[in-house]
Amino acid sequence: MQERPNPLKASLAAGRPSLGLWCSLASALSTEIMAGAGAGWLLIDGEHSPNDLRSTMAQLQAAAAFPCEAAVRLPSDSAVLIKQFMDAGARSLMIPNVRTAEQAREIVAAMSYAPAGIRGFSTGHRANQFGRIKDYHRSARANQLLAVQIECATGVANAAEIAAVEGVDVLFVGPGDLSTNMDAMGNPGADHVQDAIARVLQAARGAGKAAGILAPVKADADRYLRDGFTMVAVGADLGLLARGSDNLIASFSL
Ligand SMILES: O=C(O)C(=O)C[C@H](O)[C@@H](O)CO
């Protein structure tokens, strides 16, 4: 058995944009519904959603029936969490709040087996189909993707060095945290935040890497895509359900 090639990594490496959907409901059922929408990737959120290893694995299992790539955002850059979640089958990772190139190098090392890194070795887990992918430990890196989130002024200032780190595939802007950390909470459209976002894009492209962002407002997503962002999340299960139900009820005037 061979590991399925990573379609998101292939798209981004070819410079092709890929639309994503954010999965925040910590439910295999809702993630399965999102996986059928036709997006190029999903983001199973383990930072701001009540996900743990088991709930994340259940969502990876649900999404595995679909062609989209299921990426997982961990709550931190913990090497222990990287090991556990990768063994459970998370091969496309998003790591929040990456601020320096050294931090990025440590994340890559945590994703890599020796001699390149420190990922703990196990012969059988979900990632290698329980021992059925015979060359997994030697070939795994080829199908892994690392999106590091740039979410503060320090990360923006270091974006070029971070993008240059071997093993970093995407600089992914977290507009909520970035605007908050730049004294513009709730306003990622502020001029100085937009300037910072443009600098992240420039840093990524300068290093031949992809840039990504979460843009649940279509006009923003369209603009970011035009600007050259290629890993663009355009909606979230939570928002679609909450706003959709709000608007449905509000549409009746009894
Ligand atoms: O900072 C951001 O914005 C993100 O990283 C995305 C949010 O964390 C996501 O949960 C949507 O609210």
Side-chain angles (χ1 to χ4, degrees):
M1 176 183 282
Q2 294 295 314
E3 186 177 10
R4 181 181 76 152
N6 187 325
L8 176 57
K9 186 164 188 173
S11 293
L12 300 181
R16 293 192 305 268
S18 185
L19 302 182
L21 292 171
W22 219 261
C23 297
S24 303
L25 296 177
S27 157
L29 183 59
S30 57
T31 294
E32 184 179 17
I33 293 169
M34 299 289 272
W41 55 283
L42 301 179
L43 189 281
I44 299 168
D45 189 11
E47 184 188 12
H48 290 297
S49 304
N51 271 312
D52 59 19
L53 186 56
R54 285 185 177 274
S55 66
T56 301
M57 185 172 68
Q59 292 169 79
L60 289 168
Q61 291 169 320
F66 298 86
C68 60
E69 178 69 10
V72 174
R73 179 166 69 170
L74 299 182
S76 75
D77 60 2
S78 160
V80 170
L81 290 179
I82 289 171
K83 171 175 59 180
Q84 285 185 307
F85 280 76
M86 294 195 81
D87 283 359
R91 65 180 183 175
S92 294
L93 298 184
M94 184 178 293
I95 305 294
N97 197 21
V98 175
R99 300 171 304 285
T100 67
E102 180 54 30
Q103 185 185 1
R105 281 189 286 271
E106 290 175 359
I107 294 165
V108 173
M111 296 173 69
S112 309
Y113 291 115
I118 61 167
R119 182 182 173 189
F121 181 94
S122 170
T123 53
H125 37 55
R126 185 173 176 276
N128 73 353
Q129 280 299 300
F130 316 106
R132 296 183 183 114
I133 299 176
K134 297 304 182 188
D135 66 344
Y136 172 81
H137 297 92
R138 296 190 187 286
S139 64
R141 283 290 296 145
N143 285 307
Q144 292 173 1
L145 180 134
L146 173 59
V148 295
Q149 285 202 272
I150 307 298
E151 302 190 281
C152 66
T154 303
V156 173
N158 294 330
E161 290 81 5
I162 295 168
V165 171
E166 184 178 350
V168 169
D169 299 292
V170 187
L171 297 188
F172 196 96
V173 173
D177 276 316
L178 182 62
S179 54
T180 299
N181 292 327
M182 295 185 75
D183 198 23
M185 182 182 287
N187 185 19
D191 288 347
H192 68 294
V193 178
Q194 286 295 304
D195 289 346
I197 291 171
R199 289 204 304 274
V200 173
L201 173 62
Q202 183 181 19
R205 300 178 83 171
K209 305 294 179 73
I213 194 165
L214 170 62
V217 175
K218 188 176 189 311
D220 293 339
D222 284 337
R223 174 166 51 83
Y224 289 130
L225 286 163
R226 282 196 306 272
D227 289 347
F229 284 85
T230 51
M231 187 179 174
V232 180
V234 296
D237 52 4
L238 185 149
L240 291 166
L241 181 58
R243 301 295 75 76
S245 54
D246 292 348
N247 294 339
L248 176 60
I249 294 302
S251 70
F252 293 86
S253 52
L254 299 180

Short mmCIF file of all heavy atoms in Angstrom, two decimals, residues 98-146:
data_model
loop_
_atom_site.label_atom_id
_atom_site.label_comp_id
_atom_site.label_asym_id
_atom_site.label_seq_id
_atom_site.Cartn_x
_atom_site.Cartn_y
_atom_site.Cartn_z
N VAL A 98 3.38 31.49 15.05
CA VAL A 98 4.81 31.25 14.83
C VAL A 98 5.49 32.59 14.62
O VAL A 98 5.07 33.39 13.79
CB VAL A 98 5.03 30.30 13.64
CG1 VAL A 98 6.51 30.13 13.32
CG2 VAL A 98 4.39 28.93 13.93
N ARG A 99 6.53 32.86 15.39
CA ARG A 99 7.11 34.20 15.45
C ARG A 99 8.55 34.27 14.93
O ARG A 99 9.01 35.36 14.55
CB ARG A 99 7.05 34.71 16.89
CG ARG A 99 5.64 34.80 17.45
CD ARG A 99 5.62 35.08 18.92
NE ARG A 99 6.39 34.10 19.70
CZ ARG A 99 5.97 32.86 19.95
NH1 ARG A 99 4.80 32.43 19.46
NH2 ARG A 99 6.70 32.03 20.67
N THR A 100 9.25 33.14 14.96
CA THR A 100 10.66 33.18 14.54
C THR A 100 11.01 31.99 13.66
O THR A 100 10.34 30.94 13.70
CB THR A 100 11.58 33.13 15.78
OG1 THR A 100 11.45 31.84 16.41
CG2 THR A 100 11.25 34.24 16.76
N ALA A 101 12.10 32.13 12.94
CA ALA A 101 12.60 31.03 12.09
C ALA A 101 13.03 29.85 12.95
O ALA A 101 12.81 28.69 12.60
CB ALA A 101 13.75 31.52 11.23
N GLU A 102 13.61 30.12 14.11
CA GLU A 102 14.05 29.03 15.00
C GLU A 102 12.85 28.21 15.45
O GLU A 102 12.89 26.98 15.49
CB GLU A 102 14.79 29.61 16.21
CG GLU A 102 15.29 28.54 17.20
CD GLU A 102 16.15 27.46 16.53
OE1 GLU A 102 16.82 27.76 15.53
OE2 GLU A 102 16.09 26.29 16.99
N GLN A 103 11.75 28.90 15.79
CA GLN A 103 10.52 28.19 16.18
C GLN A 103 10.05 27.32 15.02
O GLN A 103 9.65 26.16 15.21
CB GLN A 103 9.45 29.21 16.57
CG GLN A 103 8.16 28.63 17.10
CD GLN A 103 7.10 29.70 17.35
OE1 GLN A 103 7.33 30.89 17.12
NE2 GLN A 103 5.95 29.29 17.85
N ALA A 104 10.09 27.86 13.81
CA ALA A 104 9.67 27.09 12.64
C ALA A 104 10.56 25.87 12.42
O ALA A 104 10.07 24.77 12.13
CB ALA A 104 9.68 27.98 11.40
N ARG A 105 11.88 26.03 12.61
CA ARG A 105 12.80 24.89 12.46
C ARG A 105 12.48 23.79 13.48
O ARG A 105 12.55 22.61 13.19
CB ARG A 105 14.25 25.35 12.59
CG ARG A 105 14.82 26.00 11.33
CD ARG A 105 16.31 26.25 11.43
NE ARG A 105 16.60 27.38 12.32
CZ ARG A 105 16.68 28.64 11.90
NH1 ARG A 105 16.44 28.94 10.62
NH2 ARG A 105 16.95 29.63 12.76
N GLU A 106 12.13 24.20 14.69
CA GLU A 106 11.80 23.21 15.72
C GLU A 106 10.51 22.47 15.40
O GLU A 106 10.38 21.27 15.66
CB GLU A 106 11.71 23.91 17.09
CG GLU A 106 13.06 24.38 17.61
CD GLU A 106 12.96 25.19 18.91
OE1 GLU A 106 11.81 25.39 19.38
OE2 GLU A 106 14.01 25.62 19.42
N ILE A 107 9.56 23.16 14.78
CA ILE A 107 8.32 22.51 14.38
C ILE A 107 8.60 21.48 13.28
O ILE A 107 8.13 20.34 13.33
CB ILE A 107 7.30 23.56 13.90
CG1 ILE A 107 6.85 24.46 15.06
CG2 ILE A 107 6.09 22.89 13.24
CD1 ILE A 107 6.15 25.73 14.62
N VAL A 108 9.41 21.88 12.30
CA VAL A 108 9.78 20.94 11.22
C VAL A 108 10.50 19.73 11.79
O VAL A 108 10.22 18.58 11.41
CB VAL A 108 10.64 21.65 10.16
CG1 VAL A 108 11.15 20.65 9.12
CG2 VAL A 108 9.85 22.75 9.46
N ALA A 109 11.37 19.96 12.75
CA ALA A 109 12.09 18.83 13.37
C ALA A 109 11.13 17.89 14.08
O ALA A 109 11.28 16.66 14.02
CB ALA A 109 13.14 19.36 14.35
N ALA A 110 10.12 18.46 14.70
CA ALA A 110 9.13 17.63 15.41
C ALA A 110 8.30 16.80 14.44
O ALA A 110 7.78 15.74 14.81
CB ALA A 110 8.21 18.51 16.26
N MET A 111 8.21 17.24 13.20
CA MET A 111 7.45 16.50 12.17
C MET A 111 8.31 15.45 11.48
O MET A 111 7.79 14.62 10.72
CB MET A 111 6.91 17.48 11.12
CG MET A 111 5.91 18.48 11.64
SD MET A 111 5.44 19.73 10.41
CE MET A 111 4.52 18.73 9.22
N SER A 112 9.63 15.48 11.72
CA SER A 112 10.56 14.67 10.93
C SER A 112 11.24 13.60 11.77
O SER A 112 11.62 13.85 12.93
CB SER A 112 11.65 15.58 10.33
OG SER A 112 11.07 16.69 9.66
N TYR A 113 11.42 12.43 11.19
CA TYR A 113 12.16 11.36 11.88
C TYR A 113 13.66 11.67 11.80
O TYR A 113 14.13 12.42 10.95
CB TYR A 113 11.89 10.01 11.22
CG TYR A 113 10.48 9.49 11.42
CD1 TYR A 113 9.62 9.33 10.35
CD2 TYR A 113 10.01 9.15 12.69
CE1 TYR A 113 8.33 8.86 10.52
CE2 TYR A 113 8.73 8.68 12.88
CZ TYR A 113 7.89 8.52 11.80
OH TYR A 113 6.61 8.07 11.99
N ALA A 114 14.41 11.08 12.70
CA ALA A 114 15.87 11.20 12.65
C ALA A 114 16.38 10.68 11.30
O ALA A 114 15.74 9.81 10.69
CB ALA A 114 16.47 10.39 13.80
N PRO A 115 17.47 11.20 10.80
CA PRO A 115 18.38 12.18 11.44
C PRO A 115 17.93 13.63 11.27
O PRO A 115 18.49 14.52 11.89
CB PRO A 115 19.70 11.96 10.71
CG PRO A 115 19.29 11.53 9.33
CD PRO A 115 18.04 10.70 9.52
N ALA A 116 16.91 13.90 10.47
CA ALA A 116 16.51 15.30 10.22
C ALA A 116 15.78 15.90 11.40
O ALA A 116 15.75 17.12 11.58
CB ALA A 116 15.65 15.38 8.97
N GLY A 117 15.13 15.02 12.20
CA GLY A 117 14.31 15.58 13.29
C GLY A 117 14.18 14.65 14.47
O GLY A 117 15.01 13.74 14.65
N ILE A 118 13.12 14.89 15.25
CA ILE A 118 12.99 14.20 16.54
C ILE A 118 11.67 13.46 16.69
O ILE A 118 11.34 13.02 17.80
CB ILE A 118 13.12 15.23 17.69
CG1 ILE A 118 12.00 16.29 17.60
CG2 ILE A 118 14.51 15.87 17.69
CD1 ILE A 118 11.85 17.15 18.85
N ARG A 119 10.89 13.36 15.59
CA ARG A 119 9.59 12.68 15.71
C ARG A 119 9.79 11.27 16.21
O ARG A 119 10.61 10.50 15.69
CB ARG A 119 8.87 12.65 14.35
CG ARG A 119 7.48 12.01 14.42
CD ARG A 119 6.81 11.96 13.06
NE ARG A 119 5.55 11.18 13.13
CZ ARG A 119 4.83 10.81 12.07
NH1 ARG A 119 5.25 11.13 10.84
NH2 ARG A 119 3.72 10.12 12.21
N GLY A 120 9.03 10.93 17.26
CA GLY A 120 9.13 9.60 17.84
C GLY A 120 8.70 8.53 16.86
O GLY A 120 7.71 8.69 16.14
N PHE A 121 9.44 7.41 16.86
CA PHE A 121 9.22 6.33 15.90
C PHE A 121 8.26 5.30 16.48
O PHE A 121 8.41 4.90 17.63
CB PHE A 121 10.54 5.65 15.55
CG PHE A 121 10.42 4.54 14.54
CD1 PHE A 121 10.62 4.79 13.19
CD2 PHE A 121 10.08 3.26 14.94
CE1 PHE A 121 10.50 3.77 12.25
CE2 PHE A 121 9.95 2.23 14.00
CZ PHE A 121 10.15 2.49 12.67
N SER A 122 7.28 4.90 15.69
CA SER A 122 6.43 3.78 16.05
C SER A 122 6.15 2.99 14.78
O SER A 122 5.96 3.57 13.71
CB SER A 122 5.10 4.28 16.65
OG SER A 122 4.19 3.20 16.78
N THR A 123 6.13 1.68 14.90
CA THR A 123 5.99 0.87 13.69
C THR A 123 4.56 0.90 13.16
O THR A 123 4.33 0.87 11.96
CB THR A 123 6.35 -0.61 13.98
OG1 THR A 123 5.57 -1.05 15.11
CG2 THR A 123 7.83 -0.74 14.27
N GLY A 124 3.57 1.00 14.07
CA GLY A 124 2.19 0.90 13.57
C GLY A 124 1.29 1.96 14.15
O GLY A 124 1.19 2.11 15.37
N HIS A 125 0.66 2.74 13.29
CA HIS A 125 -0.32 3.73 13.72
C HIS A 125 -1.20 4.06 12.52
O HIS A 125 -0.98 3.55 11.42
CB HIS A 125 0.35 5.00 14.27
CG HIS A 125 1.59 5.40 13.55
ND1 HIS A 125 1.62 5.64 12.18
CD2 HIS A 125 2.86 5.60 13.97
CE1 HIS A 125 2.83 5.99 11.83
NE2 HIS A 125 3.62 5.96 12.87
N ARG A 126 -2.16 4.95 12.75
CA ARG A 126 -3.11 5.23 11.66
C ARG A 126 -2.38 5.90 10.49
O ARG A 126 -2.73 5.69 9.33
CB ARG A 126 -4.25 6.12 12.17
CG ARG A 126 -5.32 6.34 11.13
CD ARG A 126 -6.56 7.06 11.65
NE ARG A 126 -7.44 7.28 10.51
CZ ARG A 126 -7.35 8.31 9.68
NH1 ARG A 126 -6.42 9.27 9.89
NH2 ARG A 126 -8.17 8.46 8.66
N ALA A 127 -1.34 6.68 10.80
CA ALA A 127 -0.64 7.41 9.73
C ALA A 127 -0.05 6.46 8.70
O ALA A 127 -0.03 6.75 7.50
CB ALA A 127 0.45 8.29 10.33
N ASN A 128 0.46 5.32 9.18
CA ASN A 128 1.06 4.39 8.18
C ASN A 128 0.13 3.21 7.92
O ASN A 128 0.58 2.12 7.53
CB ASN A 128 2.45 3.93 8.63
CG ASN A 128 2.44 2.93 9.78
OD1 ASN A 128 1.39 2.65 10.36
ND2 ASN A 128 3.61 2.40 10.09
N GLN A 129 -1.17 3.48 8.15
CA GLN A 129 -2.18 2.45 7.89
C GLN A 129 -1.82 1.17 8.64
O GLN A 129 -1.87 0.06 8.10
CB GLN A 129 -2.33 2.20 6.39
CG GLN A 129 -3.23 3.27 5.70
CD GLN A 129 -4.65 3.28 6.27
OE1 GLN A 129 -5.38 2.28 6.21
NE2 GLN A 129 -5.04 4.39 6.87
N PHE A 130 -1.36 1.35 9.89
CA PHE A 130 -1.14 0.23 10.82
C PHE A 130 -0.08 -0.74 10.29
O PHE A 130 -0.21 -1.95 10.40
CB PHE A 130 -2.49 -0.44 11.12
CG PHE A 130 -3.58 0.57 11.37
CD1 PHE A 130 -4.56 0.82 10.41
CD2 PHE A 130 -3.58 1.33 12.53
CE1 PHE A 130 -5.55 1.79 10.62
CE2 PHE A 130 -4.55 2.31 12.74
CZ PHE A 130 -5.53 2.54 11.78
N GLY A 131 0.93 -0.14 9.67
CA GLY A 131 2.04 -0.94 9.18
C GLY A 131 1.89 -1.38 7.74
O GLY A 131 2.78 -2.01 7.17
N ARG A 132 0.80 -1.01 7.09
CA ARG A 132 0.54 -1.47 5.72
C ARG A 132 1.26 -0.58 4.69
O ARG A 132 1.47 -1.00 3.56
CB ARG A 132 -0.96 -1.51 5.44
CG ARG A 132 -1.72 -2.53 6.31
CD ARG A 132 -3.19 -2.62 5.97
NE ARG A 132 -3.88 -3.55 6.86
CZ ARG A 132 -4.82 -3.18 7.74
NH1 ARG A 132 -5.19 -1.90 7.83
NH2 ARG A 132 -5.40 -4.07 8.53
N ILE A 133 1.58 0.69 5.06
CA ILE A 133 2.38 1.52 4.14
C ILE A 133 3.84 1.23 4.47
O ILE A 133 4.40 1.75 5.44
CB ILE A 133 2.04 3.02 4.32
CG1 ILE A 133 0.57 3.27 4.02
CG2 ILE A 133 2.93 3.87 3.41
CD1 ILE A 133 0.11 4.71 4.26
N LYS A 134 4.47 0.37 3.69
CA LYS A 134 5.75 -0.20 4.08
C LYS A 134 6.86 0.85 4.17
O LYS A 134 7.71 0.78 5.06
CB LYS A 134 6.15 -1.30 3.09
CG LYS A 134 5.18 -2.49 3.05
CD LYS A 134 4.99 -3.12 4.43
CE LYS A 134 4.04 -4.33 4.37
NZ LYS A 134 3.70 -4.82 5.75
N ASP A 135 6.88 1.83 3.29
CA ASP A 135 8.01 2.77 3.31
C ASP A 135 7.63 4.09 3.99
O ASP A 135 8.28 5.11 3.81
CB ASP A 135 8.48 3.05 1.87
CG ASP A 135 7.41 3.80 1.05
OD1 ASP A 135 6.22 3.80 1.50
OD2 ASP A 135 7.74 4.35 0.00
N TYR A 136 6.59 4.04 4.84
CA TYR A 136 6.06 5.28 5.40
C TYR A 136 7.15 6.12 6.07
O TYR A 136 7.28 7.32 5.83
CB TYR A 136 4.95 4.98 6.42
CG TYR A 136 4.51 6.21 7.16
CD1 TYR A 136 3.61 7.11 6.59
CD2 TYR A 136 5.03 6.53 8.43
CE1 TYR A 136 3.23 8.26 7.26
CE2 TYR A 136 4.66 7.68 9.10
CZ TYR A 136 3.76 8.55 8.50
OH TYR A 136 3.40 9.70 9.16
N HIS A 137 7.93 5.52 6.94
CA HIS A 137 8.87 6.30 7.76
C HIS A 137 9.91 7.00 6.90
O HIS A 137 10.42 8.05 7.28
CB HIS A 137 9.52 5.39 8.79
CG HIS A 137 8.54 4.81 9.76
ND1 HIS A 137 7.94 3.58 9.54
CD2 HIS A 137 8.03 5.28 10.92
CE1 HIS A 137 7.12 3.33 10.54
NE2 HIS A 137 7.14 4.33 11.39
N ARG A 138 10.21 6.44 5.74
CA ARG A 138 11.22 7.09 4.88
C ARG A 138 10.58 8.12 3.95
O ARG A 138 11.21 9.08 3.55
CB ARG A 138 11.96 6.02 4.04
CG ARG A 138 12.76 5.04 4.87
CD ARG A 138 13.66 4.15 4.02
NE ARG A 138 14.30 3.11 4.83
CZ ARG A 138 15.30 3.33 5.67
NH1 ARG A 138 15.75 4.58 5.82
NH2 ARG A 138 15.81 2.35 6.40
N SER A 139 9.31 7.91 3.58
CA SER A 139 8.69 8.77 2.55
C SER A 139 7.66 9.75 3.11
O SER A 139 7.13 10.58 2.38
CB SER A 139 7.99 7.87 1.51
OG SER A 139 6.93 7.16 2.13
N ALA A 140 7.40 9.66 4.41
CA ALA A 140 6.30 10.46 4.98
C ALA A 140 6.43 11.95 4.71
O ALA A 140 5.45 12.64 4.41
CB ALA A 140 6.20 10.21 6.48
N ARG A 141 7.63 12.48 4.81
CA ARG A 141 7.81 13.92 4.68
C ARG A 141 7.29 14.43 3.33
O ARG A 141 6.81 15.56 3.24
CB ARG A 141 9.29 14.31 4.83
CG ARG A 141 9.79 14.30 6.26
CD ARG A 141 9.21 15.43 7.11
NE ARG A 141 9.61 16.76 6.65
CZ ARG A 141 8.82 17.81 6.71
NH1 ARG A 141 7.59 17.70 7.17
NH2 ARG A 141 9.24 18.99 6.29
N ALA A 142 7.34 13.63 2.32
CA ALA A 142 6.93 14.08 0.97
C ALA A 142 5.46 14.44 0.92
O ALA A 142 5.05 15.27 0.10
CB ALA A 142 7.23 12.98 -0.04
N ASN A 143 4.67 13.83 1.80
CA ASN A 143 3.23 14.11 1.80
C ASN A 143 2.79 14.99 2.96
O ASN A 143 1.59 15.15 3.20
CB ASN A 143 2.44 12.80 1.82
CG ASN A 143 2.47 12.12 0.46
OD1 ASN A 143 2.13 12.75 -0.54
ND2 ASN A 143 2.88 10.88 0.42
N GLN A 144 3.75 15.51 3.71
CA GLN A 144 3.39 16.37 4.83
C GLN A 144 3.35 17.82 4.36
O GLN A 144 4.06 18.21 3.43
CB GLN A 144 4.40 16.22 5.98
CG GLN A 144 4.35 14.85 6.64
CD GLN A 144 5.45 14.64 7.65
OE1 GLN A 144 6.27 15.53 7.89
NE2 GLN A 144 5.48 13.46 8.25
N LEU A 145 2.51 18.58 5.01
CA LEU A 145 2.42 20.02 4.73
C LEU A 145 2.42 20.77 6.05
O LEU A 145 1.76 20.35 7.01
CB LEU A 145 1.15 20.34 3.94
CG LEU A 145 0.95 21.82 3.58
CD1 LEU A 145 0.53 21.98 2.12
CD2 LEU A 145 -0.06 22.48 4.49
N LEU A 146 3.18 21.85 6.10
CA LEU A 146 3.24 22.69 7.30
C LEU A 146 2.84 24.12 6.94
O LEU A 146 3.50 24.77 6.12
CB LEU A 146 4.64 22.69 7.91
CG LEU A 146 4.87 23.67 9.07
CD1 LEU A 146 3.92 23.39 10.23
CD2 LEU A 146 6.32 23.62 9.53
#
